[in-house]
Amino acid sequence: MARLVVIGGDAAGASAAGRAKRLDPDLDVVMFERGGHTSYAACGLPYLVAETVDDAQDLIARTPTEHRAAGLDVRMGHEVVGIDLEARRVEVRDLASDRTITEGFDDLVIATGASPIRPPLEGIDCSGILGIRSIPDADAIDAIIDDRHPERAVVVGGGYIGLEMAEALLERGLTVTMVEMQDAPMATLDADMGARVADAIRSLGVDLRLGTGVEGFEAADGWVTAVATGDGELPADLAVMGLGMRPNVALAADAGVPIGPSGAIATDARMATRVEGVWAAGDCVESLHRVSHRPVSIALGTHANKQGRVVGTNVAGGAARFPGVVGTAITRVGATEIARTGLNETEAAAAGFATVSALAEGHTRAFYYPGAEELAVKVVAERSTGRILGAQIVGGPEAGKRIDVLALAVWTGMGAEEFSMSDLSYAPPVAPVWETSMIAARLAAKAVAADPVQD
Ligand code: FAD
């Protein structure tokens, strides 16, 4: 019987394992997970800390028992510590017994995910400085709040996880300072849209320090007491790192599986690595950006699930392809929804595009209809063709998911002019007659027409 070994039991790994087994019931599928949970929604962790979600079990889509009932051989608390590509076997440590075993494979899926970035700053190893990635991480923050009753938290980094954690800590009654090195939070947006996010964060009561780098951590009796920044010392009883994720590629790299220019594992569209019979999916791989045509490392669950499914199909003899990404993402802080797709101005310039941008402000419903919320939509278009390269939205409830229609415009290479006259839905309680995205696209098209590129 052919054997598939899967390393990692969350979104990508469990999707791959489950799909392969469903399509080929005769396949022997062994899934190694070093932690204590499978198929958990890491995306829900900030809401667990905030107590919006009551119980960690609520975040689990499939337990090890359910995976086993579906025919998978799931080994929890087992860490793969080496891959021998020549002998086609993995070396695995059983963390409970500290025994090492080996397991042979015909196909191997590497789905080792990513880890929060922890720069080697002075004092970073003292207690009370946590990243968030797993249920135990959320439990640890929860336990600190319950047991030590911290009053002041510092969130390091103003990306979406930093934002979500800042709000969670506010919910738990802490005062929160957020430190961000850039001049605006949410570096995946242009600075003008990031400034709107800054206003939203501050309106919640977060002390937001922009243009401020963290230099180290002070501690007393081994516990963090302050975060040292270029802007002085910030008192802290708890610090949460939100500096982004780094793909877990050491295992693959040590085995000789090629790593791509973004620092994540390189695969083709079938999610096959450069090594025959070795596949990879999720946060540990890089994806093709459909606009810049460059490999990018974008750690999102939306990609991990799809890529896992593609791998599972292909291992079982199918012919699935992951079509790439356009960098669509969404989050919410307080009542403010923040979304983006495609390339922002900086990314577009780095990819060699000359661009025009247009900003429109409007409402989520007809302007007179109760509950209409303000939103701003920015469209970035290619100067020579008018093609929509990217878009960003910041606004009140119901604003954010409007990014999806723009994401499809970017995905298909639609022009701003065509988008501005496209057939989008309208009724006063749910939308204005002119969607703000259509107005932004029309303004972008106008800017293109007024400023044609002379090649
Ligand atoms: P992971 O979830 O990291 O799973 C990898 C698994 O492999 C882990 O369980 C790990 O223990 C295991 N593992 C690693 N190495 C080994 C080894 N050597 N041996 C055995 N097991 C190993 N994405 C979105 O799209 N939208 C969101 O709103 C969103 N919010 C998020 C909020 C937070 C706080 C976080 C942390 C992430 C969020 N994400 C979100 C990202 C999303 O959770 C990840 O993209 C997704 O979990 C990636 O799945 P994965 O299977 O590739 O990696």
Side-chain angles (χ1 to χ4, degrees):
M1 191 192 286
R3 178 178 295 150
L4 166 66
V5 164
V6 177
I7 311 173
D10 194 24
S15 297
R19 175 84 178 153
K21 185 71 184 174
R22 272 195 305 282
L23 293 180
D24 182 359
D26 291 336
L27 190 65
D28 179 17
V29 183
V30 185
M31 183 167 81
F32 291 109
E33 169 53 55
R34 67 182 172 196
H37 303 96
T38 53
S39 303
Y40 51 94
C43 318
L45 295 173
Y47 310 104
L48 189 62
V49 174
E51 297 185 324
T52 312
V53 174
D54 291 332
D55 191 329
Q57 294 306 314
D58 295 344
L59 297 183
I60 295 172
R62 264 195 165 195
T63 62
T65 308
E66 289 168 324
H67 283 302
R68 287 183 188 120
L72 305 185
D73 177 356
V74 180
R75 316 262 186 99
M76 301 305 294
H78 279 67
E79 180 170 17
V80 177
V81 293
I83 303 169
D84 186 336
L85 293 173
E86 197 78 3
R88 298 198 81 75
R89 64 175 178 233
V90 290
E91 191 183 333
V92 189
R93 178 142 323 127
D94 176 348
L95 298 174
S97 67
D98 208 22
R99 277 187 325 124
T100 299
I101 57 166
T102 56
E103 193 77 60
F105 61 81
D106 297 292
D107 282 282
L108 177 70
V109 177
I110 303 171
T112 45
S115 300
I117 292 173
R118 245 180 125 80
L121 295 168
E122 197 173 336
I124 195 159
D125 291 329
C126 68
S127 301
I129 304 173
L130 293 97
I132 182 140
R133 180 74 199 178
S134 62
I135 288 174
D137 293 339
D139 286 345
I141 294 172
D142 193 47
I144 290 169
I145 296 172
D146 286 343
D147 300 343
R148 292 184 66 99
H149 309 293
E151 291 175 1
R152 298 157 307 184
V154 172
V155 173
V156 180
Y160 81 93
I161 291 178
L163 257 58
E164 292 173 6
M165 286 307 298
E167 187 177 0
L169 296 168
L170 284 175
E171 287 282 323
R172 296 294 296 274
L174 283 81
T175 60
V176 179
T177 304
M178 176 179 277
V179 187
E180 166 58 53
M181 190 128 76
Q182 306 296 323
D183 292 333
M186 290 297 290
T188 53
L189 305 182
D190 290 319
D192 55 339
M193 297 298 275
R196 292 169 187 264
V197 179
D199 291 344
I201 300 170
R202 289 193 168 117
S203 74
L204 294 179
V206 173
D207 176 4
L208 177 62
R209 309 288 180 100
L210 295 172
T212 305
V214 169
E215 293 168 354
F217 299 87
E218 301 294 327
D221 299 328
W223 195 277
V224 68
T225 55
V227 178
T229 75
D231 200 18
E233 278 199 1
L234 303 170
D237 309 312
L238 170 66
V240 174
M241 304 301 290
L243 291 174
M245 297 290 161
R246 184 164 290 137
N248 293 330
V249 298
L251 191 63
D254 288 350
V257 176
I259 306 301
S262 76
I265 300 169
T267 70
D268 63 17
R270 298 175 308 132
M271 306 310 300
T273 71
R274 310 272 189 268
V275 181
E276 182 68 28
V278 178
W279 312 79
D283 285 2
C284 62
V285 305
E286 60 184 24
S287 304
L288 178 72
H289 197 292
R290 289 172 60 104
V291 183
S292 68
H293 298 292
R294 292 182 179 171
V296 288
S297 170
I298 298 180
L300 285 176
T302 173
H303 310 320
N305 280 285
K306 291 182 196 116
Q307 291 170 344
R309 184 181 166 87
V310 167
V311 169
T313 303
N314 290 334
V315 167
R321 300 176 84 78
F322 181 71
V325 303
V326 293
T328 309
I330 187 166
T331 188
R332 193 191 69 178
V333 61
T336 302
E337 298 182 0
I338 303 149
R340 55 99 65 221
T341 190
L343 303 178
N344 63 28
E345 285 170 344
T346 313
E347 291 165 339
F353 291 104
T355 60
V356 297
S357 297
L359 179 82
E361 294 177 325
H363 293 92
T364 54
R365 303 175 179 181
F367 65 92
Y368 54 83
Y369 197 88
E373 297 281 345
E374 292 180 352
L375 84 166
V377 181
K378 178 169 181 174
V379 166
V380 178
E382 188 177 20
R383 215 169 122 209
S384 56
T385 64
R387 172 167 64 118
I388 299 178
L389 299 175
Q392 299 152 52
I393 297 177
V394 179
E398 301 170 12
K401 280 297 274 180
R402 290 178 145 90
I403 203 69
D404 287 343
V405 69
L406 283 155
L408 278 180
V410 172
W411 184 273
T412 57
M414 187 183 265
E417 175 139 29
E418 187 181 5
F419 184 88
S420 73
M421 293 300 277
S422 55
D423 183 7
L424 304 187
S425 60
Y426 159 62
V430 287
V433 67
W434 284 102
E435 271 291 338
T436 313
S437 55
M438 299 167 91
I439 299 170
R442 188 201 304 149
L443 294 173
K446 206 168 143 190
V448 169
D451 186 18
V453 173
Q454 307 300 319
D455 281 329

